Amino acid sequence: MLDILFQNRRDKAAARRFFRRLLKTTCTVPRVVVTDQLRSYGAAHREVMPSVEHRSHQGLNHRAENSHQPTRQRARAMKGFRSVGGTQRFLAAFSQISPHFRPRRHLMAAPDYRAEMRHRFITWNQITGTTAMRATA
């Protein structure tokens, strides 16, 4: 999904590249392909894999859309990524750092959560050196 999301265009050629890359990386032909209602998916699907069933409906793609929701939120906040390389660099770092600030809140009481977050921010400040910058400023 991220591949098609960060291409310059979402036309038939981009969809065709996406489907071919999907087939190459999975090494199997899927039984069903579920996409959003963008017309270029249907056109590329008919060319690349006409024997596979294609479902294009607004409600069918929710599971796939929700799986990369944090990336979408971040892209919206940043007003979009500038390039594919920049996107890849961000996602590589973000996937390592993000869990540090997302403890399993539903398993903790509020005082424990606050203490845990305080500890994690102190650790983060020590690692990044921001406490030294505050002391000198």
Side-chain angles (χ1 to χ4, degrees), residues 63-108:
R63 180 174 289 181
E65 294 292 332
N66 286 335
S67 69
H68 66 276
Q69 190 174 8
T71 305
R72 288 257 191 179
Q73 290 171 345
R74 186 65 182 191
R76 234 185 342 267
M78 293 177 64
K79 302 293 188 246
F81 293 104
R82 301 268 184 229
S83 67
V84 175
T87 304
Q88 186 61 43
R89 283 191 303 275
F90 166 76
L91 290 175
F94 183 72
S95 64
Q96 300 294 319
I97 296 168
S98 177
H100 181 74
F101 294 104
R102 293 179 186 205
R104 298 176 59 111
R105 172 66 182 95
H106 63 285
L107 299 176
M108 298 181 184

Side-chain angles (χ1 to χ4, degrees), residues 2 11 18-19 31-32 37 52 59 67 74 77 81 86 90 99 102 114-115 117 121-122 124 130:
L2 293 177
D11 57 358
F18 174 69
F19 283 136
R31 187 176 55 81
V32 177
Q37 294 177 327
V52 176
S67 69
R74 186 65 182 191
F81 293 104
F90 166 76
R102 293 179 186 205
R114 285 192 290 272
M117 287 306 292
F121 273 105
I122 289 169
W124 176 255
T130 54

Side-chain angles (χ1 to χ4, degrees), residues 31-43:
R31 187 176 55 81
V32 177
V33 174
V34 179
T35 63
D36 59 10
Q37 294 177 327
L38 190 66
R39 296 285 187 199
S40 60
Y41 290 131

Side-chain angles (χ1 to χ4, degrees), residues 4 10-23 29-56:
I4 197 78
R10 294 186 66 197
D11 57 358
K12 181 178 168 183
R16 192 179 321 123
R17 270 194 311 270
F18 174 69
F19 283 136
R20 284 188 180 141
R21 190 173 298 149
L22 179 71
L23 289 172
V29 178
R31 187 176 55 81
V32 177
V33 174
V34 179
T35 63
D36 59 10
Q37 294 177 327
L38 190 66
R39 296 285 187 199
S40 60
Y41 290 131
H45 168 263
R46 284 189 295 276
E47 278 185 21
V48 177
M49 44 188 166
S51 62
V52 176
E53 182 183 352
H54 179 226
R55 296 181 187 166
S56 177

